[in-house]
Amino acid sequence: MQIPMSCPDITQAEVDAVLQVLRTPYLSIGPRIVEFEKRFAEYIGLPEAVGVSSGTAGLHLCVIAAGVGPADLVITTPFSFVASANVILYERAIPVFVDIDPQTLNIDPSLAAEAVRDITSGGRRADHWLPPRLRGGQGAVAPAKPARLKAILPVHAFGQPAQMDAICATAQHYNLRVIEDACEAIGAEYKGRKAGTWGDAAVFAFYPNKQMTTGEGGMIVTSNPEWANLFRSLRNQGRDVHDAWLQHSRLGYNYRMDELSAALGLCQLQRIEELLAKRAQVALWYNQRLNRIPGIQTPFLAPSTTKMSWFVYVIRLEPGIDRTRLMEELEKRGVPSRPYFTPIHLQPFYREQFGYKEGDFPITEAVARSTLALPFSSVMTEEQVESVCRTLQRVL
């Protein structure tokens, strides 16, 4: 049985919606994106939503809105897709990594608070949190001015929300902005409140392996109307709402979401609770079978996660299991798998630019060595899940 790693859940309604757009003169900057933004804001429960071309684009615009500039500091996690740190570098600022909670796999809020306290107070302890090549003001990428801490960028890893009450309390005390990377967490809830409603702004993403898809695309949500207006200007080459044709008030980007993507997103959003429920069922099928297999730890759900939004299904392997060989043997039997994630600080660019090495963030690194994502989507059948689990048990 050949089983794909992931698969979007597309019905005839989505196909018809996209074809309908193709029969109109509006393939970009039309009525679908306006409607999609309106419906998405209603779903999240915030007054503003702004569609963009990707989650990465949305995070970049949030970093700009937060006033982050050259040599500024932004606290974030090293256990994430690389984009959550890259967007900080786009503005020539510096990601300050803080290790994660070993169970939720999200940024450790107590360590984040410690980092904020040390950095804002200055002195020797502040230096400890900087990338190795920036400590003591040394190195080719040393800041050109005294470092300023501007924001915290937590990531809701794999659809489980970070501890947002503690993070927001720290940010409020030190007058920092909070940018939620909710790209993997649409519909998730922390202590009964939706992910994406805690920070100054949040970003969701709609890549084909996400809970809902627009092909490529993302959505920024915020309760700040000034930020929303800025996002709409920045995504459209810096044009403000009152600018004349081909007039641009600021430096901007081509980060627009097209009408085809918005039409697809509208249909998917109408089905969002169905899509989330189907993924939860697939996760349950996995849990029921994998809990009986020695050497495997199924995903941990924190009591504060009142609703999990299943992005991927990631197991943890006990020490001593050769993950590379396991993946190779699974692949031979038609079962794909992936390591999730490679720590950001150990990516080649970050090693070279900032001098990171193994051992800098031991919890992140230990988790990253043990994680394995199995095939997962809302269209998986129980038969496919059973096949994956039987194959995994035999190979182990």
Side-chain angles (χ1 to χ4, degrees):
M1 181 184 294
Q2 292 295 320
I3 301 171
M5 190 69 202
S6 65
C7 184
D9 190 333
I10 303 296
T11 69
Q12 189 61 43
E14 283 90 339
V15 174
D16 292 342
V18 172
L19 289 174
Q20 188 176 3
V21 173
L22 288 172
R23 298 186 181 102
T24 75
Y26 300 104
L27 300 188
S28 184
I29 317 180
R32 265 70 174 191
I33 182 61
V34 175
E35 182 68 13
F36 186 28
E37 290 172 342
K38 177 184 176 183
R39 298 301 180 193
F40 199 89
E42 291 172 352
Y43 173 72
I44 296 298
L46 291 178
E48 302 284 354
V50 180
V52 287
S53 56
S54 68
T56 304
L59 289 171
H60 182 203
L61 298 189
C62 288
V63 168
I64 294 172
V68 176
D72 286 339
L73 307 179
V74 177
I75 287 177
T76 191
T77 170
F79 190 72
S80 175
F81 183 61
V82 71
S84 58
N86 284 353
V87 296
I88 300 167
L89 297 180
Y90 292 169
E91 293 304 304
R92 300 176 61 198
I94 301 163
V96 175
F97 294 126
V98 170
D99 218 339
I100 61 173
D101 180 285
Q103 291 186 299
T104 68
L105 312 186
N106 290 317
I107 190 169
D108 186 322
S110 61
L111 284 178
E114 183 182 344
V116 171
R117 183 172 61 251
D118 290 346
I119 291 170
T120 53
S121 63
R124 190 173 301 173
R125 284 294 297 171
D127 212 43
H128 162 77
W129 297 99
L130 296 178
R133 286 191 179 161
L134 301 188
R135 293 169 191 165
Q138 303 300 311
V141 291
K145 61 181 179 181
R148 297 179 301 171
L149 183 60
K150 300 298 281 290
I152 305 175
L153 198 161
V155 178
H156 304 315
F158 305 151
Q160 177 151 235
Q163 292 177 252
M164 291 307 300
D165 48 1
I167 291 169
C168 290
T170 297
Q172 184 175 10
H173 183 76
Y174 290 94
N175 195 29
L176 303 175
R177 298 294 194 179
V178 175
I179 301 166
E180 283 183 76
D181 183 340
C183 291
E184 301 174 1
I186 184 171
E189 294 180 4
Y190 175 75
K191 295 185 176 180
R193 181 173 165 183
K194 276 187 177 174
T197 64
W198 292 83
D200 294 280
V203 180
F204 297 87
F206 309 129
Y207 190 70
N209 67 341
K210 294 294 198 300
Q211 294 89 329
M212 61 169 280
T213 186
T214 60
E216 294 275 5
M219 189 73 73
I220 313 171
V221 296
T222 183
S223 58
N224 187 329
E226 293 182 2
W227 277 29
N229 289 334
L230 178 62
F231 295 145
R232 292 189 175 97
S233 172
L234 289 171
R235 74 174 175 185
N236 192 26
Q237 301 287 14
R239 288 180 63 186
D240 269 340
V241 65
H242 299 299
D243 281 346
W245 177 247
L246 296 184
Q247 181 180 348
H248 304 268
S249 295
R250 56 176 57 84
L251 176 66
Y253 309 88
N254 183 0
Y255 283 171
R256 296 183 301 270
M257 176 183 285
D258 63 83
E259 287 288 279
L260 301 170
S261 298
L264 178 55
L266 267 169
C267 280
Q268 293 267 287
L269 185 61
Q270 291 169 1
R271 300 176 55 215
I272 187 62
E273 295 304 329
E274 170 204 343
L275 297 173
L276 294 176
K278 289 166 74 174
R279 295 174 88 93
Q281 179 61 71
V282 174
L284 178 61
W285 288 333
Y286 267 127
N287 286 342
Q288 291 169 339
R289 290 159 174 81
L290 296 181
N291 280 329
R292 303 192 296 263
I293 301 178
I296 288 176
Q297 179 183 330
T298 54
F300 170 81
L301 295 187
S304 55
T305 301
T306 47
K307 184 175 182 181
M308 177 70 173
S309 177
W310 291 93
F311 162 48
V312 285
Y313 189 87
V314 178
I315 60 173
R316 303 269 298 274
L317 303 174
E318 286 186 358
I321 295 177
D322 186 335
R323 184 176 64 179
T324 300
R325 185 181 173 196
L326 175 61
M327 294 171 62
E328 291 171 351
E329 294 299 324
L330 289 173
E331 188 70 34
K332 290 177 185 177
R333 293 160 174 81
V335 176
S337 58
R338 302 285 187 273
Y340 257 74
F341 291 104
T342 298
I344 297 175
H345 68 285
L346 297 182
Q347 295 282 1
F349 172 80
Y350 282 82
R351 284 178 181 259
E352 180 181 346
Q353 185 77 356
F354 295 111
Y356 285 116
K357 63 185 185 305
E358 291 186 12
D360 285 338
F361 300 98
I363 298 176
T364 291
E365 293 167 29
V367 167
R369 285 192 296 268
S370 71
T371 50
L372 186 69
L374 300 177
F376 188 74
S377 73
S378 59
V379 298
M380 275 193 82
T381 65
E382 189 170 10
E383 181 185 13
Q384 288 176 316
V385 173
E386 175 69 24
S387 177
V388 171
C389 295
R390 282 202 315 268
T391 304
L392 178 59
Q393 186 168 20
R394 283 199 301 270
V395 171
L396 282 171

